[in-house]
Amino acid sequence: MNELLNVEHLSISFHTYNGEVQAVRDASFQLGRGEVLAVVGESGSGKSVMMQTILKLTPCELKGGRIEFDGKDITDYTDRQMQEIRGSQIGIIFQDAMTSLNPTMKIGRQITESLLRHQKLTRAEAKKKALELLRQVGINNPEKRFHQYIHNLSGGMRQRVMIAIALACKPKMLIADEPTTALDVTIQAQIMDLLAQLRKEVGCSIVLITHDLGVVAANADRIAVMYAGRVVESGASDQIFYHSSHPYTRGLLESIPRLDAPHDTQLTYIGGTPPDALNPALGCAFSARCKYAMRLCRTQAPDAREIQPGHFCSCFLLDDAAKTVREKTGWEVSL
Ligand code: SF4
């Protein structure tokens, strides 16, 4: 794979009054050029903290691991070096445009400021480019919107403005952190379609951070599933959707409501709650919620293994030694 981003064995912590929180533990994943990678997991699984720490947008501490972006080792880059890369090569779209954009600055100025900071343009050229960007992200009447404030727009339009600002630096990588969570379902679909279209037009790679596997079904090339700070399964979209091999991934997939299900079908969910991040469980982090948990799972964390080319999973159920448990519980290895 021609990788744009390669993250190996990343561990991240932050400190609270109650102690150290190990937000990310030994996480590895890759993002190919022009590819969409979805990082999926429940709230608190570490997905946003991981990406924000990679970009140096949080004061979290990098405890170990290696980050390579566009062929360069950026693990020890200073805040200033990362700021350069963020502005010129990486665009970011956050969940809530109201808190991410400046409510006191007109939309046009927010885009032109970004263009002037990162490209050698005159004010007139920046304005022309800003109008083009607004058009490109599907904002109607861009000349009028240019002079409006963010509160004059609907939720979907605000997300489009944020995407326009992210595109201003012609990014190699776009990070979209829960970009559709605050939107209703039809607008969600429009924003996802827009991201897919821009990926083709601009040719950038996208990291899509979401808690919703349903959102990524039609949009991701690869998926990394996170649980309690670990990437528990990763692989091509088809491998995750049709051959998922981790009980947590299967639980997430079973929780997606189906339109073709009989009307009296009960919605399924994963019982229990995620472990306390301040006192992580000794063994597999999912053991308290996993109906297949064995004695070993409570004392030892499983390592990731490649079960098919490019498909990684961390679960003891895949061991030959777990054959009896698989037979007893009806767990099927789906490769
Ligand atoms: Fe369940 Fe054990 Fe696999 Fe963890 S390692 S997911 S507890 S079977």
Side-chain angles (χ1 to χ4, degrees):
M1 196 202 309
N2 189 7
E3 287 153 7
L4 179 68
L5 179 69
N6 186 15
V7 173
E8 286 172 5
H9 306 294
L10 200 68
S11 292
I12 295 166
S13 289
F14 60 85
H15 295 271
T16 67
Y17 285 120
N18 295 322
E20 182 180 346
V21 173
Q22 294 173 27
V24 176
R25 291 181 283 167
D26 198 24
S28 299
F29 64 91
Q30 288 79 35
L31 171 70
R33 287 175 201 274
E35 208 180 52
V36 178
L37 167 76
V39 182
V40 183
E42 292 167 311
S43 298
S45 60
K47 53 195 191 306
S48 292
V49 169
M50 180 171 74
M51 293 315 297
Q52 288 179 14
T53 306
I54 289 172
L55 300 179
K56 281 210 173 354
L57 286 172
T58 60
C60 293
E61 194 183 342
L62 205 61
K63 301 288 274 193
R66 186 169 181 276
I67 307 160
E68 193 179 292
F69 176 72
D70 201 17
K72 292 191 189 80
D73 184 346
I74 61 164
T75 319
D76 298 319
Y77 268 27
T78 60
D79 286 354
R80 201 184 171 84
Q81 284 174 304
M82 265 324 282
Q83 202 178 355
E84 253 324 288
I85 293 192
R86 282 202 307 268
S88 59
Q89 299 180 47
I90 302 173
I92 308 163
I93 306 160
F94 292 104
Q95 176 179 340
D96 185 4
M98 274 312 260
T99 51
S100 310
L101 297 177
N102 188 336
T104 65
M105 201 188 271
K106 286 181 179 168
I107 288 160
R109 185 153 165 229
Q110 299 197 50
I111 306 175
T112 48
E113 291 288 309
S114 178
L115 286 164
L116 290 168
R117 205 175 309 131
H118 303 299
Q119 293 180 37
K120 288 188 184 104
L121 297 175
T122 62
R123 283 219 162 260
E125 286 168 338
K127 179 173 181 185
K128 192 169 164 234
K129 179 77 189 157
L131 290 171
E132 259 172 46
L133 283 166
L134 286 174
R135 233 169 260 123
Q136 193 178 9
V137 297
I139 300 261
N140 55 14
N141 204 346
E143 286 80 7
K144 178 180 161 196
R145 303 299 183 192
F146 189 89
H147 296 288
Q148 287 186 322
Y149 293 92
I150 204 73
H151 67 262
N152 297 121
L153 304 184
S154 65
M157 294 283 243
R158 285 181 205 137
Q159 284 308 85
R160 286 174 191 267
V161 169
M162 197 144 49
I163 294 171
I165 293 173
L167 290 179
C169 69
K170 295 190 189 149
K172 289 181 180 165
M173 177 166 81
L174 202 58
I175 298 198
D177 190 352
E178 303 272 8
T180 60
T181 302
L183 305 174
D184 64 46
V185 179
T186 47
I187 308 295
Q188 269 184 15
Q190 288 174 14
I191 295 294
M192 291 313 301
D193 285 350
L194 173 64
L195 286 175
Q197 172 203 327
L198 292 173
R199 168 208 183 182
K200 282 191 199 135
E201 284 176 20
V202 182
C204 59
S205 306
I206 299 177
V207 179
L208 176 63
I209 300 169
T210 178
H211 62 276
D212 186 351
L213 256 178
V215 166
V216 307
N219 300 290
D221 300 303
R222 291 182 61 76
I223 298 173
V225 180
M226 286 193 76
Y227 184 77
R230 292 184 188 273
V231 175
V232 293
E233 186 164 7
S234 64
S237 241
D238 282 359
Q239 289 171 326
I240 300 297
F241 277 99
Y242 300 114
H243 305 284
S244 62
S245 296
H246 194 282
Y248 177 62
T249 313
R250 287 197 189 174
L252 284 181
L253 289 168
E254 282 160 12
S255 310
I256 300 174
R258 295 180 60 111
L259 280 175
D260 57 354
H263 72 279
D264 55 353
T265 305
Q266 293 260 335
L267 287 175
T268 49
Y269 61 94
I270 303 171
T273 51
D276 180 358
L278 279 165
N279 300 297
L282 195 56
C284 170
F286 192 56
S287 58
R289 304 171 78 183
C290 179
K291 56 185 174 188
Y292 308 99
M294 300 162 270
R295 202 178 306 150
L296 175 66
C297 305
R298 304 195 198 282
T299 56
Q300 208 175 306
D303 289 328
R305 68 175 69 184
E306 190 167 22
I307 48 178
Q308 286 284 297
H311 186 182
F312 295 85
C313 182
S314 310
C315 178
F316 289 125
L317 273 178
L318 300 164
D319 285 2
D320 289 342
K323 188 166 177 264
T324 326
V325 178
R326 290 199 299 267
E327 283 169 359
K328 255 198 220 160
T329 58
W331 175 267
E332 283 177 27
V333 178
S334 167
L335 296 177

